[in-house]
Amino acid sequence: MKKHHYSIALTMICLLLGIIIGVQYNTVKKQRISTENQRLSELTLALKQAQEERDALKQKNETLESTIKEYQEGTYHSSDQELEQLRSFAGLTVVTGSGVCVTLNDSSTNNGGDRNAYLVHAEDLLSVVNELNAAGAEAVSINGQRYVGKSAISCAGSIVMVNGMRVAAPFEILAVGDADVLQSALKFPGGVVDSLSPWGIEITIHKETAVTVPAYTQTALFKDLAINIAEEEE
Amino acid sequence: MWLAIIGLILGIGMGIGSAIVFPPGYSAYVAIGILACLDSVLGGICANMRDEFEWKIFVTGFFWNAVLAMVLIWLGNQLSIDLSIAAVVVYGSRMFHNFSQIRRILLHRG
């Protein structure tokens, strides 16, 4: 009789254990399915991107072929449109578009330690700009200074030099591009915002429907380089 | 012993049949808990067959081992030591030991 009693306890415990195992089996199975789905959606996205790239390249190929034809027929003229494209590519024009407005300001708190850690540095601006460019920003400016291929962001004592001009906190970084992508490029876990926020640096990101990024105003001086036009024409 | 196995199979059926799932973050803890519980049950069956079964020891061991294993894993996570390996090795080897005991008893009985 007593042994029978134990058997019931054992059975009940086994039943409980069995239920837990069953539920765990469900959990593991569901996780596997969800990771497979994730892989699938990633591949779909990659395929879509590759297709878009292919279509764009095809179109470019067509325009280049027509340009060759124009060359051959001797009717080629560099159009104003092309010039305008190159100017905007070089950052010499004011551009407007949807994008983000990022503001950075020095920390108002000081929890001890190095006072310098609570200030916005040139490196911080550089990493923000770099993330924005990596996320496909089409035009970027810092406190009205357009960031172009020749731009430098350097530290000069208590201020920051951008394009050789002094800028100081609060910094306002404007970027034209896909606002959602730009925002998430800065906000992802372990990203720029995460690395600056422990120091209390005030960083805000606003999505804007119309951001106006100014033109590059510095006179680009080319003293030491010679453009090899002949080589390019070949 | 057969009742225990029937209970286990019935339980697994009920668990899979139900649409319940654990929150994803706890999956590792549950897995180690299951291992500890399996070890307790095997120990219980083994003791039952040798007529040394004490249900208080069994029931407390069942829950305590599971909780202890989970706490160890949690502690390991905090200190970035993979203590789950220790739990898997210890409970795994004990399960093998218990299985061999059960097999011996069954063979002797037969």
Side-chain angles (χ1 to χ4, degrees):
Chain A
M1 182 64 207
K2 230 178 180 187
K3 194 171 176 183
H4 182 67
H5 187 69
Y6 299 153
S7 293
I8 286 174
L10 199 60
T11 310
M12 292 315 287
I13 291 272
C14 283
L15 191 70
L16 180 67
L17 177 59
I19 291 171
I20 296 173
I21 291 175
V23 173
Q24 173 75 352
Y25 176 80
N26 279 351
T27 312
V28 172
K29 204 173 157 190
K30 195 183 159 201
Q31 273 174 359
R32 204 168 293 147
I33 289 169
S34 69
T35 51
E36 271 169 17
N37 281 350
Q38 217 174 342
R39 212 169 294 152
L40 197 67
S41 66
E42 265 172 29
L43 286 175
T44 315
L45 199 70
L47 178 68
K48 210 176 151 194
Q49 275 178 348
Q51 278 173 343
E52 276 172 10
E53 209 175 307
R54 182 202 62 190
D55 290 343
L57 284 173
K58 214 187 250 175
Q59 218 164 23
K60 201 177 169 187
N61 201 13
E62 274 168 24
T63 54
L64 284 174
E65 266 173 14
S66 68
T67 313
I68 289 173
K69 210 178 243 174
E70 279 175 27
Y71 267 128
Q72 284 169 341
E73 290 165 359
T75 55
Y76 180 76
H77 300 290
S78 87
S79 59
D80 287 348
Q81 197 195 340
E82 200 176 349
L83 191 65
E84 202 54 39
Q85 258 181 4
L86 284 174
R87 279 169 61 84
S88 69
F89 186 71
L92 299 174
T93 53
V94 180
V95 292
T96 308
S98 70
V100 292
C101 170
V102 184
T103 55
L104 289 110
N105 203 355
D106 295 339
S107 172
S108 51
T109 57
N110 189 353
N111 303 325
D114 190 359
R115 182 78 191 93
N116 268 328
Y118 299 93
L119 302 175
V120 180
H121 289 273
E123 291 81 16
D124 304 332
L125 294 178
L126 200 55
S127 55
V128 170
V129 170
N130 198 36
E131 285 298 339
L132 289 171
N133 277 331
E138 288 158 26
V140 177
S141 74
I142 303 167
N143 282 17
Q145 290 301 319
R146 178 70 171 268
Y147 186 84
V148 295
K150 255 176 64 61
S151 290
I153 300 174
S154 56
C155 177
S158 59
I159 53 154
V160 173
M161 305 274 279
V162 179
N163 288 348
M165 298 288 284
R166 299 145 157 256
V167 294
F171 299 100
E172 188 188 50
I173 300 175
L174 300 173
V176 173
D178 187 327
D180 292 320
V181 177
L182 294 179
Q183 191 181 37
S184 51
L186 297 177
K187 276 191 170 170
F188 74 90
V192 178
V193 174
D194 270 9
S195 66
L196 291 178
S197 50
W199 303 105
I201 283 166
E202 293 153 22
I203 176 162
T204 55
I205 302 165
H206 290 294
K207 283 194 267 186
E208 311 256 347
T209 48
V211 177
T212 304
V213 177
Y216 182 69
T217 51
Q218 263 61 43
T219 319
L221 289 175
F222 296 102
K223 281 191 292 189
D224 299 318
L225 69 81
I227 301 165
N228 290 339
I229 295 170
E231 222 165 83
E232 263 180 31
E233 292 278 314
E234 267 175 30
Chain B
M1 180 199 171
W2 299 114
L3 263 174
I5 292 170
I6 290 165
L8 193 63
I9 292 167
L10 201 68
I12 292 174
M14 281 166 72
I16 294 175
S18 72
I20 310 166
V21 289
F22 291 116
Y26 296 101
S27 189
Y29 294 99
V30 174
I32 219 73
I34 287 174
L35 196 62
C37 293
L38 265 180
D39 169 61
S40 301
V41 166
L42 277 176
I45 291 171
C46 191
N48 200 10
M49 293 175 89
R50 276 190 287 185
D51 290 327
E52 290 168 0
F53 187 77
E54 282 181 56
W55 75 274
K56 272 182 193 164
I57 290 178
F58 173 66
V59 173
T60 52
F62 180 84
F63 290 107
W64 179 244
N65 277 351
V67 169
L68 193 67
M70 290 184 201
V71 168
L72 267 180
I73 303 304
W74 177 82
L75 192 70
N77 277 345
Q78 306 307 306
L79 303 175
S80 127
I81 312 165
D82 201 354
L83 282 176
S84 63
I85 296 170
V88 167
V89 169
V90 169
Y91 287 123
S93 66
R94 273 176 55 169
M95 276 168 67
F96 274 109
H97 180 73
N98 281 332
F99 264 124
S100 73
Q101 292 281 312
I102 292 169
R103 181 171 48 88
R104 257 161 232 250
I105 293 166
L106 281 177
L107 280 176
H108 280 297
R109 203 186 271 172

